[in-house]
Amino acid sequence: MQIFTHYFLHFGFPFFIAFIFYRKDWKKVYLILLATMVVDLDHLFVNPIFQTNRCSINFHFLHTYYAMLVYIVLLFFRKPFRIIGIGLLFHMLTDFIDCLFMYSRCEKCFAGSPAIELLKATSRLIGI
């Protein structure tokens, strides 16, 4: 379920965002939303590049809380910057949901995670 949810939120749900909110230009908007996945290139700057049970949030430099503030600022600009901001923030939300899935299965695996406090607070809030 986690894998399906993760990839649906990365590839499927942006289609609905584009189609519902930007119906006139939905194809272009969908491509921009997909292009924001380039943010994952920051994964290439850590060793190992992939690690099971690693939460990207506040670990990779383009997934930090500071970067997310920049993505929020993009929402206050015109297209295409607003769409890019939406795509980047939705990407962060998707990755955070993925972190919650992993955290719910193994809390102790995330003891040293940079996002541990956010994971704890969110899991308490939603009752995981």
Side-chain angles (χ1 to χ4, degrees):
M1 183 65 166
Q2 176 185 350
I3 293 172
F4 172 79
T5 302
H6 184 81
Y7 287 105
F8 172 76
L9 290 175
H10 272 319
F11 294 102
F13 201 80
F15 166 79
F16 293 107
I17 292 171
F19 192 75
I20 292 169
F21 296 105
Y22 297 94
R23 188 163 299 215
K24 184 176 144 198
D25 297 321
W26 74 268
K27 291 177 189 175
K28 185 169 123 180
V29 170
Y30 180 60
L31 290 175
I32 292 170
L33 292 173
L34 290 181
T36 61
M37 283 195 270
V38 75
V39 73
D40 276 340
L41 287 176
D42 64 355
H43 293 249
L44 299 174
F45 293 95
V46 297
N47 190 13
I49 291 172
F50 175 78
Q51 184 177 3
T52 306
N53 287 336
R54 179 191 291 152
C55 179
S56 298
I57 301 301
N58 216 32
F59 182 83
H60 301 290
F61 66 92
L62 294 176
H63 289 69
T64 61
Y65 302 137
Y66 298 113
M68 291 179 215
L69 288 174
V70 173
Y71 307 154
I72 290 170
V73 169
L74 289 174
L75 299 177
F76 296 96
F77 290 92
R78 292 184 179 270
K79 283 196 300 190
F81 299 105
R82 179 176 296 146
I83 296 166
I84 293 168
I86 291 168
L88 290 168
L89 288 169
F90 193 76
H91 184 99
M92 297 302 120
L93 177 63
T94 297
D95 284 359
F96 182 66
I97 290 169
D98 201 45
C99 293
L100 283 172
F101 267 112
M102 294 184 292
Y103 179 77
S104 70
R105 285 195 310 270
C106 182
E107 289 181 25
K108 66 182 178 190
C109 297
F110 287 88
S113 172
I116 187 65
E117 294 306 318
L118 182 61
L119 290 168
K120 284 180 183 178
T122 305
S123 65
R124 277 192 306 267
L125 184 68
I126 62 175
I128 292 180

